[in-house]
Amino acid sequence: MQKFNLDEFKATTNANDCLVLNTIRHYGPISRAAIAKVTDLTAPAITYITNKLLDSGLVVEYKVGKSSGGRRPILLTVNPDILNVVVIHISSNKLRGYLVNGDLQVLTEREYPVQKVPKDDILELMLTTISDLKQESKTDILGIGVVVHGPVKSKEGISIFAPNLGWRNVPIKYIVEEKIGIPTFVENDVRAMAIGEFHYGTARSVENMVFLKVGYGVGSAIFIEGKLYRGHGDSAGEIGHTTIDVGGPLCSCGNYGCLESLVSENALVKAMVKSIKEGRSSVAQDMAGGNLDEITPEIIYEAAEKGDVLAGRILRQVARYLGIGIANTINTFNPELLTIGGGIVRARAFIEDTILDTVKTRSLENSFSLCEIEFSDMGEVATVKGAADVVMTAIL
C-alpha cells in the first residue's frame, strides 16, 4: 500500500491544490471538466493539479463516466485506502467510535453506554476507544474528530458545557493530543451533522442553507456562501432559543416560550403526558405500560402511525410552532434550503403539510418561494461524515 506523506504534501501544495482536492472530496466521483466548472480554474490548471494529486496517492481514477456528447470522462475520487480518520461521538447516553476511511466510509464502529457514567470515566473510555480504533487501522490515522453535545470552542477544542455528561470547560483537544499524539478537532453535534448534510446530503448543490435539528433539544447551523457561519463568539445558530410565545412554557435556558420549549422531543413528551393527566386518552399510555414516565418520542410517533387521535393532534401543534420558527428563520436569512433533521423526521408524514402551510402563511412570499424545505434522512451518518470532513479540511 502506498504511504502518504502529510508533511511533503503540505510543503508542495497551494490554495488551488486544496480547492481541487476539496472539490473532489465533496463532489466525487467527478470529472476534470466538472472540477473546472466548480472551481473556475482553467483546464490546463486542472490537469496539472489532478496529476499532482494522483501522484500523491490522495486521489485515484475511479471509473469512466457517461458521455455527454464527446469522449467519456474519467471520474476522480479520493483514495479510500491511503488514510483513515477516527470519529468519536459522545451523546447524552452513548459513546460511539468510528474508524472512517478516506472516502468517509465507516470501517469499524464501537458503541458504549455512558448514561450515569462519571465524567472522568467517559474521558478514559474515549481515549481507550481511540486507541483501539487506531490499532485496527491498516493505514495512517490523519486526525481525530470528537463530537459532543452542547456549546464548544471549536478552535480551542473545548467542550464548554455538556450538562448530561457533567462537563464544563473540558479541554478535549489537549487531552487527546497529549495522550494519543494525533491532531484532534472538536465540534458540536448539530454543526457536525449539518456539515455532513451540507457536503454529502440534500445541500450539495446549494451555497446558503439553514440546518435545523429537532431532537431532545433544538439546534441549528447556518451556511452562508458555502461556509459555516459561527458568529463572533462561536455561538451563532441558537434558533431554538428564539422566542415564539412569550406566554409559553419554561425553557431549559431559563426563558419562557422558546422554540425549543414548544417543538423539541422533550416538549412533545411533556405535552402528551400533560394531556393524558388532563383526562384525554391515548394508546401511548398503554404502550408505556400505563407508566406516564415511560412515554418516549418513539412511542408517540408509533401511536400516531397507529391512528391515535391525541398523538396526531399534538404533532400538528408542534408542527405549527415549528412552522413559525422556520418562517422567522427564512425571513431572517433568506436561504436556498432549510433542512430539518433529528428525531422529529420520523413524524414527517404527520407534520410536513402543517409546517409548509404555516411557513407559507407567515413568511415573506419572495423568501418562501425561493427556499426549499427538506427533511434529512441521513441521521447519524451525517454526523460521522461531518466530523470526518472537519478533520480532513483542517489537516489537508
Side-chain angles (χ1 to χ4, degrees):
M1 182 180 295
Q2 183 176 353
K3 184 78 172 176
F4 175 63
N5 189 319
L6 179 60
D7 292 333
E8 181 179 315
F9 174 78
K10 285 185 173 183
T12 58
T13 53
N14 56 39
N16 283 342
D17 297 339
C18 293
L19 175 61
V20 171
L21 176 59
N22 284 331
T23 300
I24 295 170
R25 289 202 304 112
H26 294 150
Y27 296 97
I30 185 172
S31 69
R32 290 171 174 83
I35 296 171
K37 191 172 182 180
V38 171
T39 61
D40 284 331
L41 295 174
T42 64
I46 295 298
T47 299
Y48 173 76
I49 294 171
T50 53
N51 286 342
K52 189 174 173 182
L53 293 174
L54 287 165
D55 289 342
S56 75
L58 267 177
V59 169
V60 293
E61 293 183 336
Y62 177 64
K63 65 178 182 179
V64 178
K66 295 181 180 179
S67 172
S68 58
R71 188 168 53 184
R72 296 174 68 187
I74 296 175
L75 304 183
L76 304 177
T77 189
V78 172
N79 185 349
D81 301 321
I82 201 166
L83 52 87
N84 286 340
V85 169
V86 169
V87 171
I88 301 292
H89 182 191
I90 309 173
S91 63
S92 57
N93 56 8
K94 292 179 182 178
L95 185 150
R96 299 182 182 95
Y98 304 90
L99 181 64
V100 182
N101 70 13
D103 199 29
L104 302 195
Q105 301 301 311
V106 174
L107 304 176
T108 305
E109 179 178 347
R110 303 284 181 88
E111 182 177 301
Y112 306 96
V114 294
Q115 202 165 19
K116 298 181 180 179
V117 174
K119 57 184 180 181
D120 290 340
D121 290 352
I122 295 175
L123 288 171
E124 284 301 319
L125 178 60
M126 173 186 70
L127 293 171
T128 300
T129 303
I130 293 171
S131 295
D132 290 345
L133 292 172
K134 183 173 179 284
Q135 289 297 319
E136 288 193 32
S137 178
K138 296 178 181 179
T139 187
D140 291 339
I141 299 293
L142 182 71
I144 298 166
V146 180
V147 178
V148 294
H149 176 70
V152 302
K153 289 183 179 178
S154 55
K155 187 176 181 180
E156 295 85 354
I158 297 172
S159 170
I160 300 173
F161 182 45
N164 294 326
L165 302 177
W167 286 4
R168 279 189 180 274
N169 296 316
V170 177
I172 297 174
K173 179 179 174 68
Y174 172 80
I175 291 170
V176 176
E177 291 183 349
E178 178 74 11
K179 295 289 185 179
I180 307 295
I182 295 175
T184 300
F185 306 87
V186 180
E187 190 54 271
N188 161 269
D189 57 347
V190 176
R191 285 181 175 170
M193 179 177 277
I195 290 167
E197 188 71 43
F198 187 77
H199 290 304
Y200 306 101
T202 58
R204 291 182 77 179
S205 62
V206 306
E207 289 196 334
N208 299 282
M209 178 190 82
V210 175
F211 179 80
L212 196 63
K213 181 185 178 184
V214 182
Y216 183 82
V218 174
S220 62
I222 303 157
F223 289 83
I224 299 174
E225 295 182 352
K227 295 181 179 179
L228 177 66
Y229 177 69
R230 294 183 178 275
H232 181 62
D234 204 12
S235 59
E238 291 292 351
I239 294 170
H241 296 293
T242 54
T243 303
I244 301 299
D245 180 0
V246 292
L250 179 66
C251 183
S252 60
C253 71
N255 288 325
Y256 288 86
C258 291
L259 182 64
E260 181 174 300
S261 73
L262 296 163
V263 308
S264 66
E265 291 185 315
N266 187 37
L268 175 66
V269 170
K270 286 182 177 179
M272 173 60 81
V273 171
K274 181 175 181 290
S275 293
I276 293 174
K277 286 182 176 179
E278 290 173 347
R280 299 178 181 89
S281 62
S282 171
V283 298
Q285 185 172 9
D286 298 330
M287 293 167 66
N291 185 353
L292 297 184
D293 291 336
E294 295 298 319
I295 291 178
T296 64
E298 290 72 26
I299 284 177
I300 298 173
Y301 301 147
E302 188 175 344
E305 290 163 0
K306 291 181 176 181
D308 185 73
V309 174
L310 182 59
R313 183 185 304 154
I314 291 174
L315 283 169
R316 286 191 296 273
Q317 175 182 302
V318 164
R320 281 192 291 273
Y321 284 123
L322 186 54
I324 294 171
I326 290 173
N328 292 342
T329 302
I330 289 174
N331 286 343
T332 301
F333 294 103
N334 189 208
E336 297 169 74
L337 174 68
L338 187 140
T339 301
I340 302 169
I344 199 71
V345 170
R346 180 172 171 182
R348 177 177 181 173
F350 306 98
I351 64 177
E352 184 171 16
D353 289 344
T354 301
I355 288 174
L356 294 177
D357 288 344
T358 305
V359 175
K360 184 176 181 180
T361 301
R362 292 181 174 271
S363 60
L364 297 173
E365 182 178 354
N366 186 55
S367 296
F368 174 75
S369 65
L370 295 174
C371 179
E372 294 290 330
I373 298 175
E374 301 280 356
F375 285 78
S376 171
D377 59 2
M378 291 185 70
E380 177 70 3
V381 172
T383 306
V384 177
K385 286 183 178 290
D389 187 82
V390 166
V391 174
M392 290 191 179
T393 299
I395 293 293
L396 296 175

